[in-house]
């Protein structure tokens, strides 16, 4: 059975909204790799079985610091994502993460679809068969 491989870039790995979205994707049958920044340690946001790729630390209300952290992570992204399977889809949680997602697309060969999730809309749950349809249309067959 085909499992959609998703690389999800999050602005805050401890954000409960990120946890909800990742759990929704897992429930839909996807295999999720979570990557992003840490703002604080929130043990309630941990997801069993998911070890996130930490790209660094950022702070709320410090835009210049976040821009620097994004730039720095773009430069070290190849090293951070070593061992990560080529995704069928990359999700960027916000515009900061979209810059990193663009770099990841180039590292994975340039033809990985990207999706920027709207900031204030809840994710719609998709039945497993709908994920399969997306994967069939967008991703090349796996050997």
């Amino acid at each position: 059975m085909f499992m959609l491989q998703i690389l999800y870039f999050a602005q805050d790995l401890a954000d409960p909204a990120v946890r909800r979205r990742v759990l929704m994707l897992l429930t839909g049958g996807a295999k999720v790799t979570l990557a992003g920044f840490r703002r604080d340690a929130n043990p309630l946001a941990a997801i069993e079985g998911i070890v996130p790729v930490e790209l660094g630390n950022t702070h709320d209300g410090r835009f210049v610091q976040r821009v620097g952290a994004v730039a720095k992570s773009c430069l070290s992204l190849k090293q951070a994502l070593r061992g990560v399977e080529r995704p069928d889809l990359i999700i960027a949680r916000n515009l900061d993460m979209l810059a990193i997602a663009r770099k990841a697309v180039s590292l994975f060969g340039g033809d990985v679809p990207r999706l920027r999730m709207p900031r204030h809309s809840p994710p719609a749950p998709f039945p497993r068969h709908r994920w399969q349809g997306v994967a069939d249309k967008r991703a090349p067959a796996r050997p």
Side-chain angles (χ1 to χ4, degrees):
M1 178 167 88
F2 179 80
M3 288 182 70
L4 186 65
Q5 301 281 340
I6 297 175
L7 176 56
Y8 187 111
F9 285 105
Q11 80 283 4
D12 181 3
L13 294 171
D15 184 349
V18 170
R19 181 182 193 283
R20 286 191 306 270
R21 287 182 177 90
V22 170
L23 289 173
M24 179 214 41
L25 294 169
L26 293 170
T27 300
K31 182 179 176 191
V32 179
T33 301
L34 179 61
F37 293 96
R38 179 96 35 213
R39 288 195 184 166
D40 61 17
N42 180 356
L44 297 176
I47 303 166
E48 185 177 333
I50 301 279
V51 178
V53 176
E54 293 196 26
L55 302 176
N57 292 308
T58 60
H59 306 283
D60 283 330
R62 293 185 52 199
F63 181 72
V64 174
Q65 187 272 334
R66 283 198 333 260
V67 169
V70 167
K72 183 178 176 183
S73 70
C74 283
L75 295 174
S76 62
L77 195 60
K78 185 174 184 175
Q79 179 69 18
L81 295 180
R82 76 187 181 303
V84 171
E85 242 182 279
R86 184 185 186 281
D88 300 310
L89 177 70
I90 296 176
I91 298 175
R93 177 65 184 98
N94 62 11
L95 290 176
D96 298 356
M97 298 300 99
L98 189 59
I100 298 170
R102 287 181 59 106
K103 176 67 176 178
V105 167
S106 69
L107 292 174
F108 286 113
D111 62 347
V112 178
R114 292 180 308 276
L115 170 68
R116 181 186 168 272
M117 293 182 72
R119 185 171 189 144
H120 297 293
S121 63
F126 292 102
R128 176 170 277 161
H129 68 277
R130 293 205 39 209
W131 282 115
Q132 185 67 36
V134 170
D136 289 343
K137 291 176 190 169
R138 303 229 180 195
R142 291 182 182 260

